[in-house]
Amino acid sequence: MAVLQDKSGASPGSQGARMIFNPPVELVEKEMLLPDLCRLKLHAPLIAKRALPGNFVQIKVSDSLDPVFRRPMSIHNCEDETFEMVFRVIGRGTQLLAEALPGRKFDCLGPLGNTFEIPETDETAVMIAGGVGLPPLYFLSRFLIERHRIEPSRVLFLLGIRDKTELIVGADAEKLGVEMKYSTDDGTHGFHGFVTALFEDIYARRLRNSKMRVYSCGPTPMMQALSRIALSFKLPCQLSLEGAMPCGVGTCLGCAVKLRAKDEYLRVCQEGPVFNAEEIEL
Amino acid sequence: MTAPNLEVELCGIKFRNPILTASGTFGYGEEFNNYIDLSCLGGIVTKSITREPRPGHPPPRTYETTGGMINAIGLANVGVDRFVSEKIPFLKTLDTRIIVNVAGFSIEEYRYCVERLNDAEAIDMLEINISCPNVGAGGLEFSSTEKGAFAITSELKKISRYPLMIKLSPNVTDISAIARAAEEGGADCLSLINTLVGMGVNHWTFKPILTNITGGLSGPAIKPVALAKVWQVHNAVKIPLVGIGGALDHFDVAEFMIVGASLVQFGTANFINPDCTVKASEGLVDYLDKSGIDDISQLIGKLGGNNEVQGKNFPACEGT
């Protein structure tokens, strides 16, 4: 299975080819999509040039030691000399990011981590996102369509949100022309229930005999459920994980994820954040 | 005007500057190699090595807290045999001092590691970790009693072909007594402090944050404790000291040296800014220039009294 390549033809996800850039990145646009959902566009030519779907950045949200560590943020999109992050405001770090004004510069490491595999030519790419797990999957979908000339109809995008007020989360993916399905916790839009149940429903009704490759990012319970489904259906499935990640460059060993087969751990920041569902135990 | 001398000699070994990386915060050196020029460092202290490979504790292993972090990694490492075969070849290529941190659960385990490392190349010194707070049994007994500290040091001193740096725990009643016992056991130098035992609690779920429940507190939050311990031990022993605990920049290096350290290890700071050590070495030149000091060794143990001023040319308001 091929890994993605950046514009220079290199594959930063492979060991040994990794480069880490540390330029100051400048906030050029900010949009509050919802009261607690923020999109930032940052001017960062090196990151924008090198980043691939699945990669993340470690951004220092404060000039002081509050909070102490950088925040790992997945990359939502890259265009020309900018990249975008979409995130929910959940704590001190994301609050500071959301309060920043255009012109503010951040110290930022990236692009970091590995990348998704690309689907075979006869496979449907199924994206299963839980809420703000969407960014790496949006980036991947767009990359597959624009760079790998994959027909949008070969991408099925399933997005689980709390209720219909969060439909904005899927707006960018809608514009790609992919088949888009929603699930809501309260049934106010689309499928009533978890996005993993939506996937099982669609799989049973029409995908059972299709070749597909599943990609997912979202809350841990969602990806635990999806891992079980993918394993039972024997589907190739890649998960983009989050982790408590003080360093982001492989030295602190804080972001450990356990291998399924043996009593060993991998580092989310270094061997991930993208893992095959069958190799790890969530 | 010539540049001030940053070179420091410790146990007969010359270090380019007093800045080392602390064990457990710099991997085996490779992880940072694409990012900073490792030859700018005084030396690298590698991740703790045990006789057997260890997977470490289940996650969550780290918890960010005010001014620092609590970790319970659990001495995850590749084991001494793989360290020698897989990590030493890279370390050999580096133009900096290499200090290998050794941990264990019995004297026999420490001895095995030291003997195995005796056959390796590129090592300048061993740091003996007798103070990891994150393992259930074994190692801590060597740092929590004078008898234990003396026993492990004297046993390893007999067989090590390298100078021994004994890493001390702050989680004891009297660190000076432990330090003296290690000195009597033949320690060539001491490093201090390891992390302070701490914990985090989720006030919604009533559960501990870390799977291991407790962990080691590190980062700038512990710098005042570390300075005090270095100063106390400096007054208790004659062998040189290496300061550890919350150093972030060149001013912190100076402060550790003033209270008695000859070298200073940077730990958690590497997670905050991966190039902190390089910037600190650059900052030291500027600091010494401004202070009118031409040799950094002149700082070591020069703490003045309340009414004395040891430094020169200090800016009137800086640091207040």
Side-chain angles (χ1 to χ4, degrees):
Chain A
M1 180 54 56
V3 295
L4 302 173
Q5 292 191 325
D6 73 2
K7 291 170 188 172
S8 65
S11 54
S14 58
Q15 295 295 318
R18 188 181 305 273
M19 291 290 290
I20 303 168
F21 298 111
N22 185 23
V25 301
E26 183 177 341
L27 177 59
V28 290
E29 273 180 42
K30 179 172 86 169
E31 183 180 6
M32 294 307 293
L33 301 170
L34 291 170
D36 65 346
L37 189 71
C38 182
R39 179 214 300 268
L40 299 184
K41 181 183 274 192
L42 297 125
H43 182 256
L46 289 173
I47 291 173
K49 183 180 174 192
R50 294 279 303 198
L52 291 167
N55 288 162
F56 67 98
V57 298
Q58 280 274 82
I59 189 160
K60 194 156 189 343
V61 300
S62 164
D63 293 330
S64 74
L65 290 169
D66 179 23
V68 177
F69 294 123
R70 294 160 189 267
R71 291 294 183 265
M73 302 293 285
S74 56
I75 295 170
H76 178 71
N77 194 19
C78 286
E79 251 170 28
D80 301 327
E81 297 191 337
T82 65
F83 75 95
E84 288 180 3
M85 312 184 303
V86 174
F87 58 92
R88 197 181 294 282
V89 179
I90 52 170
R92 172 102 179 119
T94 45
Q95 181 70 44
L96 286 169
L97 274 179
E99 287 171 357
L101 298 173
R104 166 85 155 87
K105 288 187 175 171
F106 295 97
D107 191 310
C108 186
L109 300 176
L112 301 169
N114 68 352
T115 63
F116 293 102
E117 293 173 344
I118 54 174
E120 304 284 0
T121 50
D122 58 347
E123 288 177 334
T124 298
V126 182
M127 310 289 165
I128 303 177
V132 288
L134 176 134
L137 302 183
Y138 168 71
F139 190 16
L140 174 62
S141 300
R142 189 163 181 265
F143 194 89
L144 292 177
I145 291 165
E146 294 182 4
R147 299 279 296 281
H148 286 269
R149 305 291 175 208
I150 288 177
E151 287 297 319
S153 59
R154 275 184 53 207
V155 178
L156 171 61
F157 210 113
L158 310 183
L159 175 60
I161 50 179
R162 293 173 189 162
D163 56 52
K164 67 179 182 183
T165 64
E166 294 196 336
L167 281 168
I168 186 78
V169 175
D172 285 346
E174 296 261 12
K175 291 177 195 155
L176 294 174
V178 299
E179 183 181 359
M180 191 91 193
K181 300 281 186 192
Y182 291 89
S183 71
T184 49
D185 294 348
D186 64 356
T188 49
H189 188 85
F191 181 85
H192 185 181
F194 291 141
V195 69
T196 46
L198 169 62
F199 173 62
E200 283 184 296
D201 180 59
I202 293 175
Y203 181 84
R205 285 194 287 109
R206 52 178 256 223
L207 290 178
R208 191 187 295 273
N209 297 316
S210 305
K211 285 193 72 178
M212 73 187 77
R213 188 164 294 267
V214 178
Y215 305 91
S216 184
C217 185
T220 300
M222 185 201 106
M223 290 203 283
Q224 285 170 329
L226 183 64
S227 278
R228 284 193 293 273
I229 294 165
L231 286 173
S232 68
F233 295 165
K234 295 189 168 50
L235 300 174
C237 176
Q238 291 202 301
L239 309 174
S240 176
L241 303 189
E242 280 191 297
M245 203 177 279
C247 81
V249 295
T251 57
C252 74
L253 309 186
C255 57
V257 59
K258 191 177 172 302
L259 281 169
R260 196 179 284 275
K262 46 188 173 180
D263 190 21
E264 286 181 19
Y265 294 90
L266 298 178
R267 298 164 293 184
V268 173
C269 70
Q270 193 80 357
E271 285 81 38
V274 179
F275 295 94
N276 292 318
E278 74 265 17
E279 71 176 321
I280 55 165
E281 190 176 294
L282 290 175
Chain B
M1 183 176 167
T2 56
N5 179 31
L6 293 186
E7 193 174 272
V8 177
E9 189 169 324
L10 181 106
C11 306
I13 300 167
K14 285 183 177 168
F15 291 81
R16 182 172 288 121
N17 61 52
I19 296 170
L20 308 178
T21 60
S23 178
T25 65
F26 212 71
Y28 304 106
E30 296 159 299
E31 291 83 350
F32 279 79
N33 194 38
N34 280 340
Y35 190 70
I36 61 172
D37 179 0
L38 299 178
S39 69
C40 292
L41 301 171
I44 292 172
V45 183
T46 62
K47 174 115 190 78
S48 283
I49 295 296
T50 52
R51 184 173 64 184
E52 312 296 338
R54 287 175 56 84
H57 291 315
R61 298 171 163 189
T62 59
Y63 172 50
E64 184 180 27
T65 185
T66 308
M69 69 181 281
I70 303 172
N71 90 81
I73 304 298
L75 291 178
N77 78 95
V78 298
V80 70
D81 291 332
R82 278 182 58 197
F83 174 79
V84 171
S85 62
E86 295 175 16
K87 307 300 179 186
I88 287 283
F90 170 75
L91 293 170
K92 265 168 69 175
T93 67
L94 301 180
D95 179 22
T96 189
R97 296 298 182 186
I98 304 298
I99 300 171
V100 178
N101 184 292
V102 176
F105 300 88
S106 66
I107 287 185
E108 288 67 37
E109 276 193 50
Y110 282 100
R111 191 186 287 128
Y112 179 91
C113 292
V114 170
E115 285 176 342
R116 188 79 183 81
L117 294 167
N118 273 342
D119 298 332
E121 297 174 72
I123 300 170
D124 294 290
M125 187 182 279
L126 300 184
E127 180 175 59
I128 307 300
N129 179 5
I130 59 171
S131 46
C132 178
N134 296 326
V135 291
L140 262 181
E141 73 188 61
F142 301 119
S143 68
S144 57
T145 66
E146 294 161 62
K147 189 178 166 189
F150 177 83
I152 188 81
T153 309
S154 56
E155 281 295 313
L156 300 183
K157 186 64 188 169
K158 286 178 202 162
I159 59 169
S160 175
R161 78 176 173 104
Y162 310 108
L164 292 183
M165 177 192 294
I166 308 296
K167 185 167 180 177
L168 302 180
S169 169
N171 304 304
V172 294
T173 307
D174 183 359
I175 195 171
S176 296
I178 308 290
R180 279 192 296 268
E183 181 180 41
E184 286 165 19
D188 297 285
C189 60
L190 305 172
S191 57
L192 62 160
I193 56 176
N194 207 319
T195 54
L196 292 146
V197 174
M199 71 183 286
V201 176
N202 184 319
H203 49 252
W204 298 113
T205 65
F206 297 7
K207 290 180 179 175
I209 303 284
L210 301 176
T211 307
N212 195 54
I213 302 178
T214 62
L217 174 65
S218 64
I222 73 165
K223 193 186 86 172
V225 179
L227 287 173
K229 299 298 179 191
V230 170
W231 174 72
Q232 286 168 6
V233 171
H234 173 69
N235 291 321
V237 300
K238 293 187 173 60
I239 52 179
L241 307 180
V242 176
I244 319 168
L248 293 174
D249 61 19
H250 55 285
F251 292 126
D252 294 335
V253 175
E255 290 168 27
F256 271 105
M257 295 183 81
I258 289 165
V259 296
S262 297
L263 305 172
V264 180
Q265 297 183 12
F266 280 54
T268 303
N270 291 304
F271 304 155
I272 303 169
N273 286 313
D275 59 353
C276 63
T277 46
V278 174
K279 286 192 171 153
S281 68
E282 292 164 358
L284 278 177
V285 175
D286 183 56
Y287 164 75
L288 293 179
D289 272 345
K290 284 182 178 162
S291 303
I293 296 169
D294 56 15
D295 188 328
I296 197 161
S297 295
Q298 292 168 19
L299 293 174
I300 302 169
K302 291 294 164 54
L303 185 71
N306 282 343
N307 299 316
E308 295 175 69
V309 176
Q310 301 279 60
K312 300 171 186 172
N313 305 334
F314 62 95
C317 297
E318 198 167 310
T320 60

